[in-house]
Amino acid sequence: MSETTQTDTGRPGHVAGQVKFLVCVDASPPSRVAVHYACRRAKNTHGRVALLHVVQPVDFRQWSGVEHMMREEQLEAAEALLNELAQDVNDWAGVMPELLVREGRIGDEILGAVDDDPTIDLLCVGSNPAEGRGKLVSWLAGHLAGRLTIPLVIIPGTISDEEIINIT
């Protein structure tokens, strides 16, 4: 029987072999690389994967019908993306991931997802080194670093599947 320990942040302590990876995803290639990395790590540690897609708010207050339609389209696209990536997770890790769609400012929603689920152990995001620091990575490093209660893993979107296998 495994025991958990409480950390000073109030989050349950890590149980060996039960790491849960939260991967922030969008439709970009670096995001898919981050999913692959998390899946390989999860498979090798008997861990779990959760995929988070944040739908950014639209601001068409004067045209509420347009705003509603755009929001619905974004939610449908998010669901389609998560379902596609869920199949990849199943192929790579042999597990079905938890799928999360949140609406709001991306940093606030990432923190909210971590705060809402104390079983999340690592936050994974993909970056595109060719573009320099991406918007999400820059924001995370600048604004969330002091508020994030779990490790942040930034996976270069240019590493190959073979390199992922070798490092995981």
Side-chain angles (χ1 to χ4, degrees):
M1 175 156 69
S2 302
E3 289 187 31
T4 61
T5 57
Q6 201 72 4
T7 65
D8 61 356
T9 63
R11 300 182 67 80
H14 168 71
V15 177
Q18 295 181 359
V19 175
K20 184 173 184 181
F21 298 85
L22 175 63
V23 187
C24 296
V25 297
D26 58 21
S28 70
S31 180
R32 193 165 196 277
V33 172
V35 170
H36 189 197
Y37 173 86
C39 287
R40 292 290 305 176
R41 289 283 317 275
K43 183 176 182 176
N44 291 333
T45 62
H46 306 288
R48 296 171 291 151
V49 176
L51 304 177
L52 169 66
H53 180 77
V54 178
V55 174
Q56 300 290 321
V58 292
D59 188 19
F60 281 100
R61 279 176 249 173
Q62 64 271 30
W63 298 308
S64 66
V66 173
E67 178 180 11
H68 178 73
M69 187 173 68
M70 288 182 69
R71 180 179 172 269
E72 290 301 315
E73 287 174 0
Q74 287 181 322
L75 291 173
E76 286 174 16
E79 185 177 326
L81 171 68
L82 289 174
N83 286 328
E84 178 184 328
L85 290 173
Q87 184 58 53
D88 289 340
V89 171
N90 192 25
D91 292 344
W92 288 326
V95 297
M96 287 306 293
E98 181 178 341
L99 305 178
L100 306 168
V101 176
R102 293 180 69 114
E103 297 179 71
R105 293 179 35 196
I106 192 161
D108 294 338
E109 296 307 322
I110 291 169
L111 285 174
V114 171
D115 289 343
D116 290 349
D117 185 349
T119 66
I120 295 172
D121 299 299
L122 291 161
L123 172 62
C124 298
V125 296
S127 70
N128 187 347
E131 294 177 359
R133 292 187 342 181
K135 288 191 301 186
L136 176 59
V137 172
S138 294
W139 198 92
L140 287 170
H143 292 89
L144 287 187
R147 295 171 42 202
L148 199 58
T149 59
I150 60 174
L152 169 63
V153 181
I154 301 170
I155 299 97
T158 56
I159 62 175
S160 68
D161 289 345
E162 184 177 311
E163 289 172 307
I164 290 172
I165 291 167
N166 288 338
I167 64 174
T168 57

